[in-house]
Amino acid sequence: MAEIKYDIIEKIGILSESNKGWFKELNLISWNNREAKYDLRDWAPENEKMGKGITLTKDELRQLRDLLNNMDL
Amino acid sequence: MAEIKYDIIEKIGILSESNKGWFKELNLISWNNREAKYDLRDWAPENEKMGKGITLTKDELRQLRDLLNNMDL
């Protein structure tokens, strides 16, 4: 089985906690020792297990921020 | 093979376009006729094929917006 190495460079913040105790987090993560990317993902407590998520570039975060600021949230 | 039904209720915006022509989009989507959720996902042109992504509640989008507004992007 292949192995994924990752290193959480910066924990930026938590969006929510599920009733199973998982957190939806925005982090800056380096995957397989490559350049770090922003990452929006579900995590078990202490980042012990990871769920599904997506990676985002700084440009994408900037676009996302602008979209969110134009929404009626 | 199981089938997933989805209905794109609102196309909110595009974060980026990959060099393969896929778009990273924020949409409001109803999955299997359930209540619509916000959805951040990669899509082939015309939403013909979907890539990986995550769903988000309105509360989570609000938290994300506040996190992004506090970052130096």
Side-chain angles (χ1 to χ4, degrees):
Chain A
M1 203 168 141
E3 192 180 317
I4 295 176
K5 286 186 192 169
Y6 66 94
D7 189 12
I8 300 177
I9 308 292
E10 188 190 346
K11 301 194 78 160
I12 299 167
I14 292 171
L15 275 61
S16 64
E17 182 180 355
S18 77
N19 48 22
K20 287 179 184 163
W22 283 60
F23 296 94
K24 193 166 278 176
E25 302 183 3
L26 178 63
N27 297 311
L28 184 62
I29 297 182
S30 167
W31 299 94
N32 294 317
N33 293 317
R34 285 199 284 260
E35 194 188 351
K37 288 184 177 181
Y38 294 98
D39 186 274
L40 201 52
R41 184 175 304 277
D42 290 317
W43 291 90
E46 313 289 334
N47 298 107
E48 201 191 325
K49 284 187 283 186
M50 63 173 72
K52 64 179 182 170
I54 56 168
T55 60
L56 296 146
T57 65
K58 199 168 193 172
D59 269 345
E60 289 170 340
L61 279 193
R62 216 178 279 131
Q63 291 296 324
L64 182 57
R65 177 198 61 194
D66 294 347
L67 285 176
L68 295 175
N69 282 330
N70 281 317
M71 289 171 71
D72 183 24
L73 289 173
Chain B
M1 202 168 141
E3 192 179 316
I4 295 175
K5 286 186 192 170
Y6 66 93
D7 190 13
I8 301 177
I9 308 291
E10 187 189 346
K11 301 194 79 160
I12 299 168
I14 292 172
L15 276 62
S16 64
E17 181 179 354
S18 77
N19 48 24
K20 286 178 185 165
W22 284 59
F23 295 93
K24 192 165 280 175
E25 302 182 4
L26 178 63
N27 296 313
L28 184 62
I29 297 182
S30 167
W31 299 94
N32 293 316
N33 294 318
R34 285 198 284 260
E35 193 188 353
K37 288 184 175 179
Y38 294 99
D39 186 274
L40 201 52
R41 184 175 304 276
D42 290 315
W43 292 90
E46 314 289 335
N47 299 108
E48 202 191 327
K49 283 186 282 187
M50 64 173 70
K52 63 179 179 169
I54 56 169
T55 59
L56 296 145
T57 65
K58 199 167 192 173
D59 269 346
E60 289 169 339
L61 279 193
R62 217 177 277 132
Q63 290 297 324
L64 182 57
R65 177 197 61 193
D66 295 346
L67 285 176
L68 295 176
N69 282 330
N70 280 316
M71 289 171 71
D72 183 26
L73 289 173

